[in-house]
Amino acid sequence: MTQILNVSRNDDGQYEITDQRGKVVSGPYDTNAAAWAALDRIDHETMPGKPRGNKKVLWGKAEKPAKRKSKKASKRQAARDEHRMKVNAAKAPGWVRSVAAAKFDPAGERSYRDHRLGTFGAASEVKRIDPAAYLAEKAASARKEQA
């Protein structure tokens, strides 16, 4: 027979877990949430059935207990994962590939970015000006304007 448990408030303003007859099973608790959490714990302890660890995984690979892998096997698995990732990236649409290019070829992405930016601002080469030559040109142009 299953036992029906409920959370109720006592005269002191605290919460208790009571059974059908009103007998206190557990408590008092300061908050309603703490009382319900305790009720859930009690409920799961008395629940018949399989242990919680045997739940089937709905998607992805099920977690297996840790085994000691050899370095060779882990290296092979890493290479297989890397290859699978590259194959999937090749199948991706163009806009996704352009975004993901940085992951596979960071130097290529950098050169593309630099090519796109061009050479201006801090990236441009500075033109060297000789002060004597500049002043000579300025004086020559001033003489032409006066003449």
Side-chain angles (χ1 to χ4, degrees):
M1 178 170 152
T2 60
Q3 186 181 22
I4 297 176
L5 301 175
N6 197 10
V7 174
S8 61
R9 198 170 197 167
N10 64 11
D11 297 333
D12 298 334
Q14 294 181 321
Y15 296 89
E16 298 173 332
I17 299 174
T18 58
D19 61 3
Q20 286 174 311
R21 288 180 258 150
K23 181 182 170 194
V24 175
V25 176
S26 179
Y29 298 99
D30 292 331
T31 63
N32 190 20
W36 279 104
L39 178 67
D40 285 340
R41 280 195 304 275
I42 293 169
D43 213 18
H44 285 299
E45 287 173 6
T46 60
M47 195 166 63
K50 295 181 180 178
R52 295 183 87 186
N54 270 349
K55 285 176 32 178
K56 293 196 177 200
V57 176
L58 297 177
W59 55 272
K61 292 184 179 178
E63 289 185 27
K64 296 177 183 172
K67 284 192 223 174
R68 291 187 175 236
K69 285 186 177 181
S70 67
K71 287 183 182 178
K72 192 174 184 180
S74 61
K75 204 181 263 189
R76 191 179 311 122
Q77 182 65 35
R80 191 177 297 129
D81 290 344
E82 183 74 21
H83 175 70
R84 176 67 13 216
M85 191 166 53
K86 286 184 179 179
V87 168
N88 289 341
K91 292 179 187 174
W95 64 273
V96 173
R97 269 184 288 181
S98 65
V99 170
K103 164 101 174 107
F104 299 113
D105 186 16
E109 174 68 18
R110 208 172 309 120
S111 69
Y112 170 71
R113 185 179 58 231
D114 293 347
H115 174 72
R116 217 175 61 205
L117 284 173
T119 53
F120 60 89
S124 64
E125 292 182 23
V126 178
K127 184 178 177 184
R128 304 283 179 211
I129 301 173
D130 182 29
Y134 172 74
L135 292 173
E137 280 182 33
K138 193 172 181 182
S141 63
R143 273 189 243 126
K144 282 184 184 177
E145 286 178 13
Q146 285 179 351

